Amino acid sequence: MDASTIRTLTADRDLPRLAAAVRRLGSSATTDLIAQLPATEAAVVFRLLPKTVSVDVFDRLDRGTRSDLITALGTTELTTIFADLDPEDQSRLVDELPAGVATKLLSAVAPADLDAVMAVAGYDRNSIARRMSPTAVVAWADDTVAEVADRIRAADVDLADVRLLPVLTADRTLIGTLDALALLRCDPHAPVTSAMDPLETVTHTSEDQETAARAALRDGVPVLPVCDSENRLVGIVPIDDAARIIAEADEADFALSGGTQPLYRRYLPTPILTIARTRIVWLLVLAVSAVLTVHVLEIFESTLAEVVALALFIPLLTGIGGNTGSQAATTVTRALAMDEVGLRDFARVAAKEFTTGLTLGVLLAVPAFAIASPLYGLDIGTIIGLTLIVNCPIAALVGGSIPLAAKACRVDPAVVSTPFISTFCDASGLLVYFTIAITIMGL
């Protein structure tokens, strides 16, 4: 069933057919369908779902769609859904809701369940602890293989959450992990410690959630145990939650690098005013920063008046400089996200990007000189070539250094967007261009 059919049934108020059609869909298909619908129609479809399905669908929705759905639903319906969510999902939802709505939801939660929610909510918002689930099944150091296998069979949990079991001492100190499938090959009477994998690194509650999630996916860990400062287990992060963390972070980085705020929702159902709000702030910032470029042109206005041909190459040179800086920024931002470089590598990254920019400048300067000289004269060709040789390494150095500087200031490197770097490189490129032109032509 597609979104247009749902709209038709909704408009006709044919709720029996609509309910029958929606109930035939699985959770994944229903999630995709709701994400494509306007909020009012999505709320109608959501209300027709069985309770168990509605909770699963709500948990699968992206942040923006969920926010729109919350607005369309009543507090009573939202309270029912909220009570059935996991503590980490409840905590995340409380962060997204207006304070008044969040207070009503929390007041409806049983005290015993509220403790678990507040325990997760007490951690830093960007830490991995805010995304962890309570541990459903663990293996104790003095267990046998048979005892752990019985515990898994008796637990009413998703099998994906017990794919990798934490192995703990009596005081809950994490000493290793146990592959649940490996139990099938072990002697039932053997101690668990003989089958466990020793710990190489420990993920602590204070670690950044994106960093921890990327490490989990890189290492192929199906379940990520999370410990406190004393290495005592406090929760787990299943691999699908880690993948969701990375998807959200990548969406934000991609949007910010393009000079806009992330939508966190499907594009077509998003209202035009919402899309405009995500873009207007950065456009205003860039408009203000572009004044610097205009000011540079104003300073060298007399130079342009004497040699009009110089104006012809301004778009070419600023475009190459801006793109060089953007390429460097994108490469270094990705390397930071993948934990391939850190603040300790600042000098090495700067040197690498400067050398890369210089190489690019020389490679571009040769054809630029060969093309410009016959058409506009030897002086213009020399100015263009030298500007590229000088400007490209500067642009690459700036583009590669700014993400590291942002990281040092505890700012998301993606926030220092590519358009902003391009504007900065435009101004520096023009200064280089006119300085070389004045020196060579004696203006």
Side-chain angles (χ1 to χ4, degrees):
M1 176 180 292
D2 56 21
S4 60
T5 305
I6 290 292
R7 288 195 184 98
T8 301
L9 294 175
T10 305
D12 295 341
R13 292 293 188 267
D14 192 351
L15 296 184
R17 285 183 58 199
L18 180 60
V22 168
R23 288 169 187 265
R24 287 196 297 267
L25 299 175
S27 295
S28 179
T30 305
T31 302
D32 290 338
L33 177 62
I34 289 177
Q36 299 175 45
L37 296 172
T40 53
E41 296 175 14
V44 172
V45 172
F46 190 83
R47 290 187 178 104
L48 296 175
L49 297 174
K51 181 180 178 182
T52 54
V53 177
S54 64
V55 173
D56 186 29
V57 168
F58 187 85
D59 188 40
R60 290 169 178 254
L61 291 172
D62 57 68
R63 186 188 305 176
T65 305
R66 188 164 52 202
S67 176
D68 293 341
L69 187 60
I70 288 170
T71 302
L73 292 173
T75 304
T76 302
E77 293 168 298
L78 188 57
T79 301
T80 302
I81 298 167
F82 185 81
D84 289 327
L85 293 174
D86 293 331
E88 73 277 10
D89 295 323
Q90 291 174 330
S91 175
R92 189 165 70 250
L93 184 57
V94 166
D95 287 338
E96 299 171 6
L97 291 173
V101 178
T103 301
K104 289 182 181 179
L105 291 182
L106 291 174
S107 63
V109 176
D113 297 330
L114 186 60
D115 290 341
V117 179
M118 300 312 294
V120 174
Y123 293 102
D124 183 85
R125 189 169 184 172
N126 295 317
S127 68
I128 191 63
R130 288 298 290 268
R131 305 299 289 265
M132 66 183 181
S133 305
T135 312
V137 181
V138 300
W140 301 101
D142 56 358
D143 280 339
T144 64
V145 169
E147 289 173 331
V148 176
D150 290 341
R151 194 173 300 138
I152 294 174
R153 282 192 290 267
D156 182 20
V157 295
D158 189 335
L159 291 179
D161 293 349
V162 293
R163 176 66 175 77
L164 190 76
L165 300 179
V167 181
L168 310 178
T169 61
D171 62 352
R172 296 190 65 83
T173 299
L174 183 66
I175 58 173
T177 57
L178 178 65
D179 187 338
L181 292 178
L183 295 177
L184 300 175
R185 300 190 296 267
C186 296
D187 179 355
H189 302 291
V192 160
T193 51
S194 66
M196 77 176 187
D197 295 318
L199 289 175
E200 295 183 3
T201 58
V202 177
T203 301
H204 292 106
T205 53
S206 58
E207 288 191 33
D208 178 76
Q209 59 182 240
E210 182 183 350
T211 302
R214 290 191 184 280
L217 262 67
R218 184 181 62 244
D219 298 337
V221 179
V223 176
L224 179 67
V226 181
C227 299
D228 61 16
S229 59
E230 297 179 342
N231 287 353
R232 292 189 174 89
L233 186 74
V234 292
I236 59 172
V237 178
I239 194 66
D240 56 344
D241 287 350
R244 186 185 299 181
I245 292 170
I246 294 174
E248 292 174 357
D250 286 346
E251 181 180 354
D253 290 349
F254 183 79
L256 291 169
S257 67
T260 183
Q261 295 293 320
L263 286 176
Y264 292 121
R265 70 189 76 205
R266 298 289 183 93
Y267 170 73
L268 289 177
T270 303
I272 292 175
L273 287 177
T274 301
I275 296 177
R277 280 200 301 270
T278 65
R279 300 180 183 179
I280 188 63
V281 174
W282 273 109
L283 288 176
L284 290 173
V285 171
L286 295 175
V288 173
S289 62
V291 173
L292 179 62
T293 303
V294 175
H295 185 60
V296 172
L297 287 173
E298 185 180 1
I299 293 174
F300 294 101
E301 184 178 3
S302 59
T303 303
L304 284 174
E306 292 187 43
V307 186
V308 178
L310 291 175
L312 301 175
F313 294 94
I314 289 177
L316 170 69
L317 296 174
T318 56
I320 291 176
N323 286 333
T324 301
S326 298
Q327 289 174 339
T330 300
T331 302
V332 174
T333 299
R334 178 191 175 279
L336 278 169
M338 300 299 292
D339 203 26
E340 296 174 355
V341 299
L343 298 180
R344 64 187 180 283
D345 302 308
F346 187 93
R348 293 174 61 191
V349 170
K352 192 178 189 70
E353 287 300 331
F354 184 87
T355 305
T356 301
L358 182 60
T359 303
L360 291 171
V362 172
L363 292 175
L364 292 170
V366 173
F369 176 81
I371 294 172
S373 295
L375 296 175
Y376 299 96
L378 188 61
D379 285 350
I380 296 294
T382 303
I383 292 169
I384 300 302
L386 287 176
T387 299
L388 289 171
I389 292 174
V390 175
N391 193 35
C392 283
I394 293 176
L397 176 63
V398 170
S401 301
I402 284 182
L404 289 169
K407 189 75 171 179
C409 297
R410 300 184 181 277
V411 175
D412 187 345
V415 173
V416 187
S417 64
T418 297
F420 182 80
I421 294 176
S422 297
T423 303
F424 184 88
C425 292
D426 287 349
S428 62
L430 289 174
L431 285 172
V432 171
Y433 180 42
F434 287 116
T435 300
I436 292 176
I438 290 172
T439 302
I440 291 179
M441 303 187 77
L443 298 176

